[in-house]
Amino acid sequence: MNRRPTLLAALALTATAALTLSACGSDDDSPAKDKDTIAGADTDDKKSPSPTPSESDPASGGRPKITFPADAKNVFEYEKTGDAAKDAALLDSTLSINSVDEAIFMGSTDTEALGFYNAERALSASITFVNGYLKKNHTWVGETRYFDYEVKLSGANAAYVTYCSDESKSFLKNRKTGKVDNTPTTADSYVLYHTKLAKNADGVWQTTDIASDRGSKTCQP
């Protein structure tokens, strides 16, 4: 099953130039199959699963708290870089993912976090994605893992983050009947993402654009 939104067809040309990281696959125009997940990102210079959303969300300074149901979880695995700007961009990148999932769980695109951590084309595409989910009476359960993070800065207010997702352990669930669609794991369960972030006036690194390569060999085990 795939839930994560492939927000837009392609990143800006500047993003393409900046994303010459170790993991660089082609962009994917098609909406990602339904599958997303939860939690913040905390690492201490070693790759480890992130804590629950409530534990990781920086709910101070006016930042919204993100909550997930007990049967759904996002795990983010990355190493802190030691650079304050890069680490802030990485954390807000994970919260952007969580905000989209929270909107699905809440059954509404009018959540505080969705517009807090996403902007521009990424926000409009996220709203479209969530609404499509809700029209089908879908939610999801299980765990999605995000890994192989790379981050680059472009000046003081722009960042480019690439990462992989493993959707093999998260599944669509019918919101009305509670039935879970236990689909098998395939190459499409693994996705490579290229994202663009911009730091706003409040110091939040908002995701503004996303491109993906579903089935990328870079992310497959």
Side-chain angles (χ1 to χ4, degrees):
M1 165 203 109
N2 323 84
R3 298 180 310 88
R4 184 74 186 122
T6 308
L7 295 185
L8 291 187
L11 293 172
L13 293 178
T14 53
T16 303
L19 288 172
T20 54
L21 304 176
S22 60
C24 58
S26 61
D27 293 339
D28 181 4
D29 292 350
S30 60
K33 305 167 190 177
D34 302 339
K35 170 188 167 61
D36 218 278
T37 17
I38 164 184
D42 181 66
T43 48
D44 291 331
D45 295 327
K46 57 174 71 173
K47 295 180 180 178
S48 60
S50 62
T52 62
S54 60
E55 292 173 330
S56 61
D57 292 342
S60 60
R63 285 175 173 250
K65 181 178 180 180
I66 298 175
T67 59
F68 274 51
D71 59 359
K73 183 178 183 181
N74 281 341
V75 173
F76 301 102
E77 298 175 353
Y78 68 81
E79 295 181 358
K80 287 184 178 180
T81 67
D83 181 286
K86 287 183 177 181
D87 290 339
L90 285 168
L91 176 57
D92 283 350
S93 173
T94 69
L95 295 174
S96 167
I97 295 172
N98 285 348
S99 72
V100 176
D101 282 329
E102 182 191 45
I104 293 173
F105 298 133
M106 297 292 290
S108 171
T109 58
D110 193 28
T111 60
E112 184 179 2
L114 190 62
F116 191 91
Y117 292 108
N118 302 280
E120 300 178 15
R121 294 190 298 177
L123 176 58
S124 61
S126 293
I127 291 172
T128 299
F129 173 77
V130 173
N131 280 332
Y133 222 84
L134 301 181
K135 287 179 181 178
K136 295 180 180 180
N137 291 313
H138 282 164
T139 183
W140 65 271
V141 297
E143 176 181 300
T144 300
R145 184 172 67 98
Y146 295 88
F147 60 101
D148 280 359
Y149 274 84
E150 297 281 357
V151 57
K152 285 191 175 182
L153 300 177
S154 179
N157 299 312
Y160 301 96
V161 179
T162 65
Y163 55 90
C164 292
S165 71
D166 173 0
E167 304 175 349
S168 63
K169 295 182 180 179
S170 58
F171 308 95
L172 289 173
K173 178 181 177 180
N174 187 285
R175 194 181 297 271
K176 289 185 176 181
T177 67
K179 181 179 179 181
V180 176
D181 185 7
N182 291 300
T183 52
T185 299
T186 68
D188 281 349
S189 299
Y190 303 91
V191 188
L192 173 66
Y193 288 98
H194 296 307
T195 67
K196 179 180 179 180
L197 293 82
K199 186 168 70 171
N200 66 15
D202 296 321
V204 179
W205 287 91
Q206 295 179 305
T207 297
T208 59
D209 214 345
I210 297 181
S212 73
D213 180 10
R214 182 166 292 284
S216 171
K217 292 183 178 179
T218 299
C219 299
Q220 293 180 40

